[in-house]
Structure formats: structure tokens, C-alpha cells
Amino acid sequence: MADTATDSRSVAFLGLGTMGFPMAGHLAVRGGHRVTVYNRTAAKAEAWAARFGGAGAATPAATPAEAARDAEVVFLCVGGDDDVRAVAGEAMDAMKPGTIIADHSTVSATVAREMAELARARGLFFLDAPVSGGQAGAENGVLTVMVGGDADAFARAQPLMACYGRSVTHMGPAGAGQLTKMVNQICIAGLLQGLAEGMAFAQKAGLDGHKVVDVIGKGAAQSWQMDNRAKTMLDGKFDFGFAVDWMRKDLGIVLGEARNNGASLPVTALVDQFYAEVQGMGGNRLDTSSLMTRLTR
């Protein structure tokens, strides 16, 4: 956590969605930093300023360039590749040489490398820094941040990311952060499908599913997903933040990268199809544990 008395810095945060809104708040409240925010829907930026303005936050900016102009580090958390290109590109037009832009979006490694090259040509530094931990992790400031890019730039930005990251790790050159996030999503997809099948099996077998989880959760089957999602899956509750639409976007990135590097991902490809079925059932905005719904309908 930053020392608010001696280490207050001027930063910008572009993109105040489910993740970005609380992350920017932690920079202001936990870190004591001067935060200028931008969001394409201006009302969201105004709502952020109303909530966190007392912590020293600046007035919301009208454009990415305006937000980034005087920032030492610019953070970004938007949707997909084209969003990063548009928002980061506009911000970089106004950034001073030596400034860092750290992208917390989950996008392709290709666009991460592309933006890193664009930044380098302008005397800037670009870090691809996707996060894991979901909405709860962002709100509680305990995200896992996996970072690719220049090591010295990472060292400068790491104390800021620690305002909302329990673990902030440099993974290698440009693109390494996004590749690490792809591994994360591959593992989560398989875990959630296995958990959904296990819980559906328990129900069909006439077992007390909650009791089953209490027992097997103390053994080799234990995982974060089991601890946090198994019982809610049994109860038919699927409103925990990270939506099926977002997971399919992420798995699309994963499968595209696998086609490029030759990795075999048969389970991931199958689970992606299962998520497509959930979308077909109208579950686009349900959370990722809703794989259970296609087994119990």
C-alpha cells in the first residue's frame, strides 16, 4: 500500500466498469493518489467522483487524452482489442515521454505487443496487466495482477497496482501478462465444468450436495471454485459478477492463441461450446458457474 503522506502520485484511470470502478477507488482511498478518471459513459465517471472525490480525486475528464495528459501512470480497463486500441491510442497522443500505461483489460497478446511497440515509438511504456479475482476481488482490493512489459516500468507501477492487487507479478516481456491470463481462464473453464458435473451428479444420486461439498472440500478436490461456487450452484444462484458473455470473449482469445502456437485445448474448446449453450438459454449475463444450468434443465 502506498504511503499517502510521502508517495502521492498523479494517475489516470480509463474505464470504470465492474472492475475499474473499485480499482480506481482503491488508488484514491488506499493509496492516497490523485486520480483523474474517464469513462465513455460520463455519468459513471461523475458517480465515481461523487463517491471518491473526498479522497483527493480530480474532476472526471471528458476524453482519454485529457485524463492522461498530466498523469505519471495511466491505467486502462476496457472491453476488447479494439477498445484498447482506441482508448489507449488516444491517451498516448497526450502522454509525456517516460509515462507508463498499464492495461488491465483482458485482450489478445497480439494487441498487447502491438500497443507496446506503439508506446515504445513514442517514448512511453506499455504494460499488459490483466487481473484475476472477479468483481469481489476488485471491490476488496485483493486481485491477482499478471504483468508483461519492461521490467523497470513494472517496478515503477507495481506499488500503485498493489493498492488493489494482493499479488502483482512481472511475467516477462510484452504479451506475457495476457498469455498468463489465458492459462488462468483455461484452468477455470475446466474446473467449473468438473464442478458443475459433480454437483449435478450429487443431485441425481440423491445426496445432500451441501454435505458432499463439506466433505470433499477437505480433500484433493478442493479449489477456490469449490469453496466459493459449489453451494451457490446447488442453490441455483448465478449472479456473482463475471458473466458468461465475458468468459466466451476470453475463451475466444485463448482458442485463437492456441491456433497460433499449436497448443491442444480439447477441454477448453468443449467448455466454450457449453457456454454457448448457456447463452442460447438466455444466460448471457449469468456468472460462469451457470454451466450447472445446462445439466439440470
Side-chain angles (χ1 to χ4, degrees), residues 60-97:
T63 66
E66 180 185 329
R69 185 169 294 118
D70 298 317
E72 299 174 46
V73 181
V74 177
F75 297 96
L76 179 68
C77 193
V78 292
D81 284 15
D82 289 342
D83 300 304
V84 170
R85 289 186 178 103
V87 178
E90 185 175 342
M92 284 193 281
D93 285 341
M95 290 165 59
K96 298 180 177 67

Side-chain angles (χ1 to χ4, degrees), residues 74-275:
V74 177
F75 297 96
L76 179 68
C77 193
V78 292
D81 284 15
D82 289 342
D83 300 304
V84 170
R85 289 186 178 103
V87 178
E90 185 175 342
M92 284 193 281
D93 285 341
M95 290 165 59
K96 298 180 177 67
T99 304
I100 298 165
I101 182 165
D103 179 26
H104 291 308
S105 316
T106 296
V107 294
S108 69
T110 298
V111 82
R113 298 185 188 108
E114 175 188 320
M115 299 310 294
E117 284 298 320
L118 181 62
R120 187 176 298 114
R122 300 182 182 195
L124 307 170
F125 297 95
F126 183 91
L127 300 173
D128 52 292
V131 300
S132 180
Q135 181 177 352
E139 291 174 349
N140 295 322
V142 292
L143 291 168
T144 295
V145 190
M146 46 213 90
V147 188
D150 181 83
D152 291 337
F154 168 78
R156 290 165 53 198
Q158 190 276 338
L160 293 164
M161 297 185 196
C163 291
Y164 44 77
R166 175 171 54 189
S167 170
V168 184
T169 306
H170 186 241
M171 301 305 300
Q178 295 297 348
L179 291 170
T180 304
K181 178 63 182 286
M182 293 178 208
V183 175
N184 185 76
Q185 301 306 75
I186 291 166
C187 295
I188 287 175
L191 283 168
L192 281 169
Q193 178 60 22
L195 190 59
E197 291 183 13
M199 295 304 97
F201 180 92
Q203 289 182 329
K204 292 288 188 181
L207 295 169
D208 180 334
H210 285 249
K211 191 173 182 179
V212 168
V213 173
D214 289 339
V215 172
I216 69 172
K218 296 179 177 67
Q222 186 274 336
S223 68
W224 186 96
Q225 297 294 342
M226 179 173 287
D227 291 347
N228 291 274
R229 293 292 176 265
K231 292 183 178 180
T232 55
M233 290 166 78
L234 289 165
D235 294 339
K237 297 177 181 178
F238 306 110
D239 56 353
F240 295 97
F242 192 73
V244 168
D245 282 350
W246 300 341
M247 186 60 155
R248 286 218 72 207
K249 182 210 78 172
D250 289 1
L251 294 182
I253 292 169
V254 167
L255 295 169
E257 185 66 31
R259 286 191 290 272
N260 291 333
N261 68 20
S264 178
L265 303 178
V267 173
T268 304
L270 187 60
V271 177
D272 180 57
Q273 294 176 33
F274 293 159
Y275 276 122

Side-chain angles (χ1 to χ4, degrees), residues 34-70:
R34 302 180 302 280
V35 186
T36 302
V37 296
Y38 164 79
N39 195 71
R40 280 177 287 193
T41 303
K44 181 68 71 72
E46 292 165 2
W48 186 93
R51 179 170 175 180
F52 297 110
T59 303
T63 66
E66 180 185 329
R69 185 169 294 118
D70 298 317

Side-chain angles (χ1 to χ4, degrees), residues 275-284:
Y275 276 122
E277 290 184 28
V278 176
Q279 288 176 317
M281 296 164 56
N284 304 63

